[in-house]
């Protein structure tokens, strides 16, 4: 070993020791707030919990949490909600619909067009359908009007979605898209929703966090990967009619329970802001919300713009628009360039300062830069992603504190992560930042079963359990 190498190694060891000590100190500091909460099963904090929930399960958004989780926090967590609920990372609107079903008005912010579209279509589907509308949907299910439709409406693709469907499926999609234009706005929204819901199942791809996996039958293969078989690739007609049946049956059955809160009120009480919460939050009124229930992207390199590429292309986004969207998303991939946060909002200087003062975070940042310089990182974008994630989250947290009423609570689901052999305690770091930005940390509720690490991390550094938690913060 050269003297240079040995110096680098001892610096690495020294930084890790420092991180371990600061981490232990911060964990001890929050000892009274930590509690392992059996109610918070992995199922309930994830989309799994929506599997049997009508309407919530139409579109499989793997990053969603369950409606039961939201209902739990809104009703049983000792709280009397006064005022609207907000979710700045609304996804497909779980918080919004769950709040609304309890008679609480809700606002959401969502950047990704697929989430926006699912929310819009669901709102339209919850408006009263006329008996003619029902007959139309039944006709689509029984007689598949697209099959003989003379025209086609081609859909756009981006680089990573080219040839994603068998040729006969692409042709059927084009005819379906053309045929649905003959229907009224509500029916069109439901038919488009059904199409978005089945895209993955009729394609050669499988969503896989950081990218789309391609079935070998597509003829595409990522260099250096094993041939992959996703199982059955559903024929278009079968997939779409099954989905339409499911939607229609849920709409029909919903009429009874929803009479508690008239159907139209549900639609009226949900408001969606399309765009980045970094842009939208500063324009929301101070002290105007009674609760925030949210789950931001985790700092785990998952790339929503790749995972949901089929849907984004089907919604008509171009390659450039998808790339721009990736940059606008909260930094959680190695491709995110830093955002000029003070340009977005000059008042955020104290929020950014709060991350600069957070010692554990600063030591982790220094460690990751050191590992990058030593060639020990499998991707050189990791330090920038981690730095960006926490600065942007600090701004979101600062804004959330501003828009909440005094004593109102924020509930946030998030995962800890691990890079270069070091666990990053996202829960305690964000909670520490939150308490310097007008929040009191009431609880850090730990999901009982521990999550593993990526296979890369496990191979290189062994398995270390990572916490998944719900943070409960109260505005002072
Ligand atoms: C973990 S998911 C939330 C899912 C949501 N709880 C649900 O049940 O559907 C995080 C969401 O944040 C969105 N997102 C990422 N960056 C954003 C930003 N800057 N502004 C608003 N939304 C953003 C993503 O598109 C994603 O839908």
């Amino acid at each position: 070993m050269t003297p240079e190498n040995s110096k680098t190694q001892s610096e690495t060891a020294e930084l890790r020791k420092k991180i371990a000590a600061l981490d232990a100190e911060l964990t001890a500091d929050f000892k009274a707030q930590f509690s392992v909460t059996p109610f918070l099963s992995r199922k309930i904090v994830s989309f799994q919990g929506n599997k049997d929930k009508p309407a919530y399960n139409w579109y499989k958004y793997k990053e969603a949490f369950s409606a039961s989780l939201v209902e739990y926090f809104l009703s049983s967590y000792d709280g009397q909600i006064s005022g609207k609920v907000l979710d700045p990372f609304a996804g497909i609107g779980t918080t919004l619909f769950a709040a609304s079903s309890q008679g609480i008005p809700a606002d959401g912010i969502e950047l990704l067009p697929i989430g926006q579209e699912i929310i819009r279509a669901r709102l339209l589907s919850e408006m009263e359908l006329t008996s003619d509308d029902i007959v139309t949907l039944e006709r689509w299910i029984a007689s598949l009007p697209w099959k003989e439709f003379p025209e086609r409406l081609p859909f756009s693709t981006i680089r990573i979605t080219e040839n994603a469907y068998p040729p006969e499926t692409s042709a059927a999609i084009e005819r379906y898209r053309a045929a649905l234009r003959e229907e009224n706005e509500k029916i069109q929204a439901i038919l488009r929703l059904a199409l978005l819901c089945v895209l993955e199942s009729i394609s050669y791809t499988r969503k896989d966090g950081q990218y789309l996996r391609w079935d070998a039958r597509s003829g595409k293969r990522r260099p250096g990967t094993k041939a992959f078989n996703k199982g059955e690739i559903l024929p278009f007609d079968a997939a779409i009619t099954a989905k339409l049946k499911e939607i229609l049956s849920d709409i029909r059955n919903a009429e009874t329970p929803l009479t508690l809160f008239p159907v139209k009120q549900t639609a009226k009480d949900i408001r969606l802001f399309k765009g980045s919460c970094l842009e939208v939050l500063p324009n929301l009124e101070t002290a105007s919300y009674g609760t925030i229930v949210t789950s931001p992207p985790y700092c785990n390199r998952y790339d929503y713009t790749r995972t949901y590429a089929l849907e984004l292309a089907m919604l008509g986004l171009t390659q450039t628009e998808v790339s721009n969207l990736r940059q606008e998303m909260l930094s959680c991939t190695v491709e995110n360039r830093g955002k000029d946060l003070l340009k977005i909002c000059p008042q955020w200087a104290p929020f950014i300062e709060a991350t600069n003062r957070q010692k554990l975070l600063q030591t982790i940042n220094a460690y990751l830069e050191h590992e990058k310089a030593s060639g020990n990182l499998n991707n050189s974008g990791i330090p920038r992603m981690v730095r960006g994630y926490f600065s942007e989250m600090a701004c979101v947290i600062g804004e959330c504190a501003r828009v909440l009423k005094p004593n109102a609570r924020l509930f946030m689901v998030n995962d800890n992560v691990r890079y270069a052999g070091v666990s990053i305690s996202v829960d305690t770091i964000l909670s520490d930042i939150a308490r310097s930005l007008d929040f009191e940390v009431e609880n850090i509720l730990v999901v009982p079963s521990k999550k593993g690490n990526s296979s890369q991390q496990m191979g290189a550094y062994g398995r270390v359990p990572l916490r998944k938690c719900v943070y409960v913060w109260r505005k002072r």
Side-chain angles (χ1 to χ4, degrees), residues 61-179:
Y61 198 51
K62 281 199 199 152
E63 290 70 23
F65 45 43
S66 73
S68 312
L69 181 85
V70 180
E71 285 156 8
Y72 172 73
F73 286 124
L74 291 183
S75 57
S76 27
Y77 204 87
D78 117 30
Q80 291 304 311
I81 310 294
S82 78
K84 277 188 182 189
V85 168
L86 173 70
D87 184 349
F89 299 99
I92 58 167
T94 314
T95 298
L96 314 185
F97 289 100
S100 174
S101 73
Q102 299 200 352
I104 307 167
D107 286 355
I109 309 170
E110 175 56 48
L111 178 59
L112 207 60
I114 177 63
Q116 299 167 356
E117 185 59 25
I118 301 294
I119 293 172
R120 188 184 83 90
R122 194 169 157 192
L123 283 172
L124 281 169
S125 80
E126 289 195 0
M127 291 181 171
E128 259 164 311
L129 293 187
T130 63
S131 50
D132 280 356
D133 290 335
I134 302 279
V135 170
T136 306
L137 285 174
E138 283 168 344
R139 178 170 53 80
W140 274 73
I141 293 167
S143 52
L144 290 57
W146 62 91
K147 281 184 84 78
E148 305 301 328
F149 203 74
E151 290 158 41
R152 291 182 178 200
L153 180 59
F155 54 92
S156 55
T157 57
I158 57 173
R159 227 175 11 250
I160 57 168
T161 68
E162 272 161 22
N163 304 318
Y165 313 98
E168 62 282 10
T169 298
S170 294
I173 296 175
E174 290 180 0
R175 276 195 290 269
Y176 179 91
R177 281 165 44 88

Side-chain angles (χ1 to χ4, degrees), residues 211-224:
Y211 55 86
L212 281 180
R213 279 185 95 179
W214 284 75
D215 187 287
R217 284 167 281 181
S218 65
K220 287 194 191 184
R221 179 112 153 240
R222 272 165 68 92

Side-chain angles (χ1 to χ4, degrees), residues 172-410:
I173 296 175
E174 290 180 0
R175 276 195 290 269
Y176 179 91
R177 281 165 44 88
L180 68 79
R181 287 182 300 185
E182 311 229 307
E183 307 298 348
N184 71 32
E185 191 201 354
K186 236 183 296 169
I187 298 293
Q188 283 198 27
I190 293 173
L191 294 172
R192 287 211 179 89
L193 167 72
L195 175 61
L196 291 170
C197 292
V198 301
L199 285 185
E200 183 182 7
S201 68
I202 59 175
S203 79
Y204 290 123
T205 69
R206 160 95 52 89
K207 298 186 190 316
D208 203 358
Q210 288 173 24
Y211 55 86
L212 281 180
R213 279 185 95 179
W214 284 75
D215 187 287
R217 284 167 281 181
S218 65
K220 287 194 191 184
R221 179 112 153 240
R222 272 165 68 92
T225 57
K226 276 203 274 181
F228 163 65
N229 183 312
K230 69 175 270 193
E232 191 183 8
I233 297 170
L234 296 180
F236 178 78
D237 295 352
I240 201 82
T241 46
K243 185 52 77 175
L244 286 171
K245 268 187 204 160
E246 178 193 341
I247 294 175
L248 182 56
S249 147
D250 287 348
I251 289 175
R252 279 187 165 135
N253 293 337
E255 273 162 22
T256 329
L258 278 177
T259 47
L260 257 182
F261 308 107
V263 186
K264 283 210 162 121
Q265 183 195 321
T266 309
K268 197 175 67 204
D269 286 349
I270 289 180
R271 187 166 54 153
L272 177 71
F273 296 96
K274 297 179 178 183
S276 169
C277 62
L278 291 169
E279 302 283 347
V280 176
L281 280 168
N283 297 315
L284 299 181
E285 213 181 305
T286 301
S288 56
Y289 289 94
T291 311
I292 293 178
V293 184
T294 197
S295 173
Y298 305 158
C299 187
N300 60 5
R301 298 182 61 174
Y302 274 31
D303 185 345
Y304 290 76
T305 59
R306 284 202 169 77
T307 307
Y308 293 95
L310 289 185
E311 290 81 353
L312 296 179
M314 191 59 69
L315 288 169
L317 272 80
T318 62
Q319 185 74 48
T320 311
E321 285 168 334
V322 173
S323 305
N324 291 343
L325 201 54
R326 186 171 303 137
Q327 289 308 324
E328 260 199 275
M329 305 276 291
L330 191 90
S331 287
C332 64
T333 79
V334 288
E335 282 163 80
N336 282 108
R337 296 186 289 270
K339 296 182 179 53
D340 188 345
L341 295 168
L342 289 178
K343 198 165 158 207
I344 300 177
C345 184
Q347 282 80 39
W348 285 349
F351 306 160
I352 295 162
E353 193 41 44
T355 64
N356 295 338
R357 280 195 312 266
Q358 214 297 318
K359 276 201 242 148
L360 173 56
L361 175 62
Q362 289 315 316
T363 314
I364 289 168
N365 286 342
Y367 170 73
L368 292 176
E369 288 296 350
H370 179 269
E371 294 305 280
K372 175 178 161 183
S374 323
N376 292 338
L377 283 186
N378 56 28
N379 190 297
S380 62
I382 291 171
R384 186 183 55 218
M385 171 189 72
V386 172
R387 223 177 312 114
Y389 184 83
F390 283 100
S391 316
E392 291 165 34
M393 279 303 292
C395 297
V396 171
I397 293 168
E399 282 297 325
C400 285
R402 184 185 64 76
V403 301
L404 277 176
K405 297 180 178 182
N407 291 319
R409 286 197 178 88
L410 176 151

